[in-house]
Amino acid sequence: PLHELRVRRTVGLADPLKPTDIFEEDRLDDALPQALDECIRRYGLDRFKIKINGHFEGDLERLRRLTGIFESNTAGGYRFTLDGNEQFKNVDEFRTFWDAASSDHIIAGLLEHLIFVEQPFHRNIALSDDVITGLQSWQNRPSVIIDESDGNLTSLAEALDAGYQGTSHKNCKGVFKGIANR
């Protein structure tokens, strides 16, 4: 049996990051933490899946806030994935976002804890020639995996050949598919 289990907390787009983000009428009265920073402290969370929505300035500001929350509440030992939510129309658009995030002195520290970026491109184009060429020609790109693009038994092999680092495993995709991908 496992002696330890790491939980990866999804940080959704509408999730309150601090108690001040919660409107009074939305506050729960159950003595449990409601905002992300409270959950980190209460449960000792140090693994996260951060969702972004493709609105650069809003995403960058949110990543700055998350950097402060993680640094203040995790003793620096955190790791995270960045879920692109299929929001980027092409590699150049995603690269522009990535360059802005990487060059931001606050967010750059956060990115040192990145595991991978999940599905930044819409499933209809993620395995297209344009995206594959763009990824393969991008030196020092972050690790990128597919998720929603993993629609058939050959998707992972195609993605690996294209330069992706892998795919996610979810039981909703099928347990046998996960085993076959393994």
Side-chain angles (χ1 to χ4, degrees):
L2 296 174
H3 298 284
E4 180 178 276
L5 176 67
R6 284 255 160 95
V7 175
R8 184 176 64 149
R9 161 66 147 77
T10 297
V11 182
L13 295 170
D15 288 354
L17 304 182
K18 293 188 170 200
T20 55
D21 297 336
I22 305 169
F23 294 113
E24 191 60 40
E25 63 269 15
D26 294 330
R27 290 189 187 279
L28 301 176
D29 188 21
D30 59 6
L32 294 173
Q34 191 171 349
L36 176 65
D37 64 344
E38 297 170 315
C39 291
I40 293 170
R41 288 191 299 274
R42 169 73 69 88
Y43 303 119
L45 302 174
D46 63 0
R47 298 295 186 267
F48 306 94
K49 175 180 182 168
I50 301 171
K51 293 192 168 269
I52 57 174
N53 64 11
H55 298 110
F56 286 20
E57 286 309 314
D59 285 339
L60 293 174
E61 181 53 37
R62 192 158 170 274
L63 291 175
R64 286 184 203 103
R65 288 189 69 205
L66 286 167
T67 301
I69 290 169
F70 295 156
E71 290 295 329
S72 298
N73 294 289
T74 66
Y78 65 92
R79 303 274 293 158
F80 76 98
T81 60
L82 190 65
D83 187 349
N85 283 311
E86 301 184 88
Q87 295 301 310
F88 298 92
K89 296 175 183 69
N90 55 57
V91 173
D92 289 339
E93 188 177 274
F94 176 57
R95 190 171 183 171
T96 298
F97 169 77
W98 187 259
D99 289 345
S102 300
S103 63
D104 184 288
H105 72 282
I106 296 171
I107 300 170
L110 174 74
L111 296 179
E112 292 174 9
H113 300 266
L114 178 71
I115 301 169
F116 56 75
V117 177
E118 181 180 330
Q119 194 75 43
F121 311 109
H122 192 276
R123 70 193 79 185
N124 293 341
I125 65 162
L127 296 172
S128 70
D129 290 341
D130 288 344
V131 170
I132 292 168
T133 301
L135 285 176
Q136 290 175 344
S137 66
W138 182 1
Q139 298 295 317
N140 302 317
R141 73 176 181 271
S143 294
V144 180
I145 69 165
I146 60 169
D147 179 14
E148 289 85 2
S149 297
D150 190 6
N152 61 54
L153 291 176
T154 62
S155 298
L156 175 59
E158 292 171 37
L160 292 172
D161 288 343
Y164 288 91
Q165 278 64 46
T167 186
S168 62
H169 169 78
K170 297 177 182 172
N171 287 343
C172 64
K173 292 181 182 180
V175 174
F176 293 113
K177 186 166 190 288
I179 293 169
N181 281 346
R182 172 78 168 102

